Amino acid sequence: MDVEELYRSLRNSQGEKGYLFPDDREKTIELLSGLLANKKRYGYMSCPCRLASGNYENDRDIICPCQYRQADVEEYGSCFCNLYVSLEWKNDATIRGYVPERRPFEKMIF
């Protein structure tokens, strides 16, 4: 799968669930490219905005769409990496802000 196929596939399936891509297509393609790079590297599409360990069990919470997406979008209008956004976030730049990391510290690698 190439990045354009992934873009179309996710755009179509996520739109039905109320998640949209932001208008910045270049950044969206960059994030999707990161997902594909992680799939090649680890065998699964871990979040491109977080460091994956390479251990599937440890990284299950950050496999896209990560388990934090819904709460982030509900509370902030966007997921942590701004790949998935709400319609309100997309239409109103004044509500855009920092989305704090929800992933437990002990799951992060350094």
Side-chain angles (χ1 to χ4, degrees), residues 49-64:
C49 300
R50 296 177 167 108
L51 290 175
S53 67
N55 177 304
Y56 179 84
E57 286 304 313
N58 187 67
D59 294 341
R60 286 180 73 172
D61 62 321
I62 59 170
I63 295 173
C64 191

Side-chain angles (χ1 to χ4, degrees), residues 3 7 14 18 20 32 35 39 48 54 87 90-91 94 106:
V3 72
Y7 179 88
Q14 298 307 314
L20 306 167
L32 295 176
L35 286 173
K39 181 171 175 109
L87 182 60
K90 192 170 181 167
N91 291 334
T94 64
E106 59 274 3

Side-chain angles (χ1 to χ4, degrees), residues 91-102:
N91 291 334
D92 186 356
T94 64
I95 67 168
R96 299 177 193 171
Y98 175 73
V99 178
E101 175 64 86
R102 290 182 190 267

